[in-house]
Amino acid sequence: MEIKINKEICGYQEAIFFGLSLRQLLFSILACGAAVGLYFFLRPYFGLETLSWVCILGAAPFAAMGFITYHGMTAEQFLWAWFRSEILEPKELKFTCTTLYYELYRNRKMEGRH
């Protein structure tokens, strides 16, 4: 009998259903719901092949939110951090060139030593 243990304890995820965490399971259900909803809503307007691609594209964001992490953040944590940094609290960074060698040269030039 073999028991897998993560090297990092922070990487542990409890499996609920088919090896998925609760978060992954909920977003998988949302992705399936979005695909089914798009199918029944758009069935009169598109053919089967086009409709299948629309369903895949409609379900992909929900599936991605359940499985993708970026720098240890979940998708909604990353989106909130991006929204805060870009929309709520934007900073204007001004670049000023300061070269130590130029400052020393300018100081020496002003002193009269060349």
Side-chain angles (χ1 to χ4, degrees):
M1 183 172 163
E2 182 179 335
I3 298 173
K4 294 181 181 180
I5 298 175
N6 289 340
K7 292 180 182 178
E8 290 290 327
I9 193 68
C10 295
Y12 174 73
Q13 291 182 358
E14 184 177 353
I16 301 286
F17 187 68
F18 286 124
L20 298 175
S21 67
L22 180 62
R23 170 187 178 72
Q24 292 169 341
L25 179 65
L26 291 176
F27 276 107
S28 297
I29 291 170
L30 280 174
C32 291
V36 169
L38 283 172
Y39 175 78
F40 285 118
F41 181 71
L42 298 175
R43 185 172 45 171
Y45 306 109
F46 294 108
L48 188 60
E49 184 176 353
T50 306
L51 188 57
S52 64
W53 281 105
V54 170
C55 290
I56 290 170
L57 292 175
F62 295 106
M65 286 183 72
F67 290 92
I68 293 176
T69 58
Y70 181 72
H71 287 291
M73 295 184 287
T74 61
E76 60 270 6
Q77 289 172 336
F78 172 73
L79 289 173
W80 175 246
W82 176 85
F83 182 73
R84 276 189 53 207
S85 68
E86 297 296 323
I87 307 298
L88 294 179
E89 303 168 5
K91 296 179 184 175
E92 183 177 328
L93 300 176
K94 294 184 180 181
F95 176 74
T96 57
C97 181
T98 56
T99 307
L100 178 63
Y101 297 115
Y102 177 72
E103 294 295 326
L104 292 173
Y105 173 74
R106 190 176 68 178
N107 290 342
R108 287 182 68 131
K109 189 175 179 181
M110 288 198 173
E111 289 176 0
R113 292 185 274 170
H114 197 3

